[in-house]
Amino acid sequence: NLWTLFKDFRNKRINVGEKLAGQAFDIVGASNAILIYSQSKRVIDCLLNLDPTRQREITLLIAECRPKSPSQFQDALSTVQFLRDTQYKIDLIPDAAIAHLISKGQIDLVLMGAHQVLKNSSGDFTHFVNTCGSEMVVKIATAHGVPTKVIFESDKIVSYRDAKVFDRISYDEEE
């Protein structure tokens, strides 16, 4: 029945979050200045589960993510709400500052989630679908040797042949 399907889905999502908690230190590594671009439940799960002692050493630079937000900094402020009880130093930054901060070495890791992750026939991940502006951030980070890590759950992986073009995603549907 529908209720059982809902409970199974909810439990699967909880289990993914718990598994991610065990990987938080490996994901963040030695990074001390992390750019968060676009609110993501899985990125937030990762950050929430990092040891508070390690959290105190990290500055999170949370981007405005303006193409997604109907009003200025709405996406960033929503992300901050989830992280308000942590030990991170949190700075909100306009999207226009991202390239400058990366080029000056003031960001040493980019974290973002994904709506869909595409793999080729060899099983290699080659593309992902996320909020408008994500490609720009990845290209800038790559050009300056800053790693980008995309955190996602396995049910978001599709092969090219199964990939769908998304209908417009509203702000309320974003994670």
Side-chain angles (χ1 to χ4, degrees):
N1 72 28
L2 188 57
W3 180 245
T4 302
L5 289 172
F6 170 76
K7 287 191 316 186
D8 290 346
F9 176 77
R10 183 192 65 193
N11 289 337
K12 179 182 174 190
R13 303 261 312 169
I14 290 169
N15 290 339
V16 168
E18 290 171 355
K19 182 178 177 185
L20 186 58
Q23 299 172 342
F25 185 79
D26 292 334
I27 291 169
V28 171
S31 300
N32 289 316
I34 301 172
L35 173 67
I36 308 301
Y37 189 80
S38 184
Q39 184 184 53
S40 164
K41 171 100 173 92
R42 295 306 167 207
V43 169
I44 290 168
D45 285 345
C46 174
L47 295 170
L48 287 174
N49 287 291
L50 197 60
D51 180 82
T53 302
R54 180 69 179 105
Q55 289 179 9
R56 282 191 280 281
E57 301 169 350
I58 296 172
T59 298
L60 299 177
L61 296 109
I62 302 178
E64 175 183 20
C65 204
R66 184 64 175 148
K68 175 180 165 183
S69 299
S71 61
Q72 295 176 354
F73 289 96
Q74 182 175 347
D75 185 75
L77 291 170
S78 181
T79 299
V80 168
Q81 288 293 1
F82 287 106
L83 298 168
R84 71 180 174 269
D85 295 327
T86 64
Q87 300 298 311
Y88 296 105
K89 180 177 184 278
I90 297 175
D91 291 333
L92 301 181
I93 62 168
D95 295 343
I98 293 171
H100 175 76
L101 292 170
I102 289 175
S103 72
K104 297 300 181 187
Q106 295 179 21
I107 293 172
D108 55 17
L109 176 65
V110 176
L111 290 179
M112 58 179 73
H115 298 293
Q116 189 175 65
V117 179
L118 303 174
K119 64 179 181 176
N120 62 21
S121 59
S122 301
D124 299 320
F125 299 120
T126 58
H127 296 84
F128 68 100
V129 177
N130 196 33
T131 303
C132 180
S134 298
E135 182 179 15
M136 170 201 67
V137 173
V138 171
K139 285 181 177 183
I140 292 165
T142 301
H144 293 280
V146 175
T148 299
K149 295 184 180 180
V150 180
I151 302 174
F152 58 92
E153 51 214 270
S154 61
D155 63 355
K156 293 188 177 186
I157 302 169
V158 296
S159 66
Y160 283 141
R161 69 178 177 277
D162 298 328
K164 298 175 184 163
V165 175
F166 285 107
D167 293 331
R168 180 168 159 45
I169 299 173
S170 74
Y171 180 78
D172 292 334
E173 294 170 314
E174 297 274 9
E175 309 192 290

